[in-house]
Amino acid sequence: MRFQSYFNTAIKIINEYDGAIPLSHFLKKYFSENKKHGSTDRKFITQACYNYYRLGFALKNISVEERLKISIFLCNENAGGWKDLYDSDWIEEWDEALEQRISFIQSQFSFSVEDIFPFDEISNDLKKVDFALSHLIQPHVFLRIRNHQQENIFNVLHQQQIAFEKITEDCIAVANATKVDDIFKIDKEVVIQDYSSQRIKEFLSIIKSEIPDEKSEIKTWDCCAGSGGKSILAYDVLQDINLTVSDVRSSIIHNLIERFKRANIKNYKSFVADLTNSKSEIGNFKFDLIICDAPCTGSGTWSRTPEQLYLFQPEKINDYQNLQKRIVSNAIKYLDKQRYFLYITCSVFKKENEDMVEFIQQYLQLTLIKSELLKGYNKKADTMFAALFKH
C-alpha cells in the first residue's frame, strides 16, 4: 500500500508541475507544505517523479499513470517495493539489463529509444542512441580532489565504507545519494564537479604550457562565472593566476565570494556585468585568458534535470545561439593579443557548439587551437563542449 501511495502522490505532483521552477525546488516546496511524508516517502516519491521525466519526448501521448508505470520499470534495475503495482508478466521481465526491459516495453507499446531525445542537428561525434539511453540512468556525483590530497581522501572513503570509482588521479565518482558534505570539506578538500567539467583541465594545461615561464601571473577572466567551478579549476591548474570573475546576477557573485572563502582563494576581483549589452563597460582591462562558460540549453546535463528535456522547446536553440554570439563578441574585446579564449557549453546542439566555433573564427578572427565534444553519457556524467582559441 505504501508504494501505491507513493505512485499516487507522484501523479499528483506531475499534474501540478508546470516547469516554472526546477523540479527539485518544486519538490522541496511540496514536501515542506506536506509534512506527513517522512524521509523514505520523499525518497521514493522523488525517484518516481524524476523517472517520469526521464522518458523525455517518448510516449507523451499516453496517460500520466501508464507513462509513470513504464518509466519506473525502465529506470530501475529491480522492482523492489514497486512490485505490487505490476502484473506478473512485467515482474518476470524486470531484468537488470536495460536492453531487456526496453525490449519488453517495445513489445507492449509504441516505444523508441530515439524518441527520448528526438532532436536533430546535434554535435559531431555524439552517438544519439547512447545519449538518449543515458537519460534513463541516474548520473554519478563526481569529486575533484584539490591540493594533492588523494591519499587522505581515499583513506576517508575506505574508512567510511563508501563505494567509489577512481576515474583519474584527481577525479572520483560516487553514487548520487552519497552525502559528501558530511564527509569532506567541500571546495577546500574536494570540489563537486562533473567529470566532463573537470576535463576542461586539458585545455587549461595547453595554455599553461604555451605561456612563457617568465610571465609572473596569467591574467584570467571568467566572464560567465556561475557557481565558480571553472574559476577554482583554473586557479588550481594555472597556479600563478590573477583572477577576475563576473556574472550578470549579483546573487551569483555573492555566492561566489562565499565559495572562494571555502576554497581559500583570496586575491581576485569580482563584479556584475551584462555581456549581452555591447555598451557594457568593465574597465580598461586586457586578459591573457578569457573563460566563457556560455549560457546554453543545458542539453548535455538533462540526465540530471530531465524535466528540462521533457519541457524543451527547440526554438530556444536559436535564442541561446544569439545570446552566445553577443556575449562572445563583447567579451573578446578585452582579450590581449596572442592570448587565449576558452569557449564552453554544456550543450549537445551543433548551433551552440561547432557553429559557434565557426562564428568565432570567421567573424572575430580568432584561431582555433582545439575543440572537442566532451562525452560523458557513457560514464554517468554530463556531456559538454569546449573550444580553445588564440587571438
Side-chain angles (χ1 to χ4, degrees):
M1 291 297 293
R2 281 191 304 125
F3 278 81
Q4 182 66 61
S5 175
Y6 300 156
F7 188 88
N8 294 340
T9 302
I11 289 171
K12 181 177 185 295
I13 291 170
I14 290 163
N15 284 328
E16 291 179 2
Y17 180 64
D18 63 2
I21 59 175
L23 180 59
S24 60
H25 296 178
F26 187 87
L27 288 167
K28 185 177 181 179
K29 182 174 182 289
Y30 177 86
F31 291 133
S32 177
E33 295 171 352
N34 295 269
K35 297 188 184 299
K36 64 181 180 180
H37 300 295
S39 60
T40 301
D41 303 336
R42 295 194 298 270
K43 172 187 172 183
F44 284 106
I45 293 167
T46 296
Q47 179 195 69
C49 291
Y50 273 89
N51 287 171
Y52 179 86
Y53 293 109
R54 288 189 179 285
L55 287 186
F57 277 67
L59 299 175
K60 277 195 170 185
N61 59 337
I62 63 177
S63 69
V64 171
E65 291 82 0
E66 199 166 32
R67 193 173 190 273
L68 179 58
K69 181 180 176 182
I70 293 168
S71 71
I72 292 171
F73 178 81
L74 287 177
C75 294
N76 295 274
E77 292 183 348
N78 55 72
W82 298 107
K83 62 181 182 298
D84 293 336
L85 280 66
Y86 293 83
D87 294 335
S88 59
D89 58 334
W90 287 65
I91 301 300
E92 288 172 8
E93 297 294 335
W94 208 316
D95 192 271
E96 286 189 8
L98 176 57
E99 293 78 7
Q100 184 165 328
R101 301 199 303 277
I102 289 172
S103 180
F104 174 73
I105 293 300
Q106 288 175 332
S107 72
Q108 306 291 314
F109 301 90
S110 180
F111 173 73
S112 169
V113 169
E114 288 89 340
D115 289 342
I116 296 172
F117 185 90
F119 310 110
D120 296 321
E121 296 188 23
I122 53 177
S123 273
N124 302 335
D125 301 327
L126 186 81
K127 294 184 178 179
K128 193 172 179 181
V129 172
D130 289 350
F131 181 68
L133 280 172
S134 72
H135 292 86
L136 300 177
I137 301 168
Q138 174 71 54
H140 282 319
V141 169
F142 293 87
L143 305 178
R144 181 172 66 82
I145 302 170
R146 295 191 73 208
N147 304 320
H148 309 289
Q149 298 186 76
Q150 284 85 349
E151 185 176 354
N152 173 53
I153 298 301
F154 293 143
N155 285 340
V156 170
L157 290 166
H158 287 304
Q159 288 166 9
Q160 299 274 350
Q161 296 184 320
I162 295 169
F164 69 93
E165 180 184 356
K166 182 179 176 182
I167 308 298
T168 66
E169 192 62 33
D170 52 7
C171 175
I172 55 176
V174 296
N176 188 267
T178 307
K179 298 185 182 300
V180 293
D181 301 53
D182 297 337
I183 306 165
F184 301 116
K185 294 176 182 176
I186 302 301
D187 295 326
K188 184 176 182 180
E189 295 177 327
V190 298
V191 176
I192 300 173
Q193 187 171 39
D194 183 79
Y195 167 67
S196 293
S197 190
Q198 292 188 43
R199 286 195 59 197
I200 297 300
K201 177 181 179 179
E202 298 167 20
F203 294 80
L204 294 171
S205 296
I206 293 172
I207 298 165
K208 186 170 177 61
S209 68
E210 289 194 1
I211 288 184
D213 291 338
E214 64 269 16
K215 187 169 181 63
S216 58
E217 292 181 315
I218 301 173
K219 290 182 287 186
T220 301
W221 177 28
D222 189 351
C223 69
C224 301
S227 63
K230 305 295 190 311
S231 292
I232 300 174
L233 180 63
Y235 182 90
D236 290 346
V237 174
L238 300 176
Q239 296 176 342
D240 295 324
I241 182 175
N242 183 334
L243 180 62
T244 298
V245 294
S246 68
D247 198 275
V248 69
R249 300 154 292 182
S250 59
S251 60
I252 289 291
I253 295 299
H254 173 77
N255 294 337
L256 202 56
I257 290 169
E258 294 303 311
R259 191 177 189 190
F260 282 179
K261 286 179 184 176
R262 296 194 299 271
N264 199 31
I265 298 175
K266 298 175 181 177
N267 298 318
Y268 65 93
K269 303 178 189 71
S270 64
F271 56 88
V272 175
D274 180 6
L275 291 174
T276 65
N277 184 354
S278 61
K279 296 180 180 179
S280 179
E281 292 291 336
I282 68 165
N284 188 25
F285 296 113
K286 286 293 182 180
F287 295 96
D288 300 312
L289 166 63
I290 298 176
I291 300 171
C292 181
D293 192 353
C296 67
T297 56
S299 46
T301 69
W302 284 344
S303 59
R304 297 186 190 278
T305 55
E307 75 277 13
Q308 293 186 23
L309 166 59
Y310 179 85
L311 296 166
F312 183 65
Q313 299 170 336
E315 58 268 23
K316 291 289 185 183
I317 301 172
N318 284 332
D319 294 342
Y320 275 109
Q321 189 197 54
N322 290 331
L323 191 70
Q324 290 152 6
K325 286 180 178 178
R326 294 202 302 274
I327 290 172
V328 167
S329 298
N330 291 327
I332 283 175
K333 293 186 296 186
Y334 300 95
L335 185 64
D336 212 347
K337 296 290 184 182
Q338 297 300 310
R339 291 301 184 242
Y340 303 89
F341 183 79
L342 179 54
Y343 176 79
I344 305 166
T345 74
C346 50
S347 173
V348 299
F349 291 120
K350 187 173 183 287
K351 283 188 176 180
E352 298 183 278
N353 297 340
E354 288 88 351
D355 287 1
M356 280 300 298
V357 168
E358 186 175 333
F359 170 80
I360 292 169
Q361 289 177 293
Q362 183 173 350
Y363 293 98
L364 302 177
Q365 304 299 305
L366 269 62
T367 301
L368 179 66
I369 296 175
K370 175 184 178 179
S371 67
E372 185 176 352
L373 183 72
L374 305 172
K375 299 185 285 289
Y377 50 85
N378 290 328
K379 297 183 183 298
K380 296 187 179 181
D382 298 339
T383 293
M384 299 179 63
F385 180 85
L388 179 63
F389 301 86
K390 195 168 186 177
H391 200 339

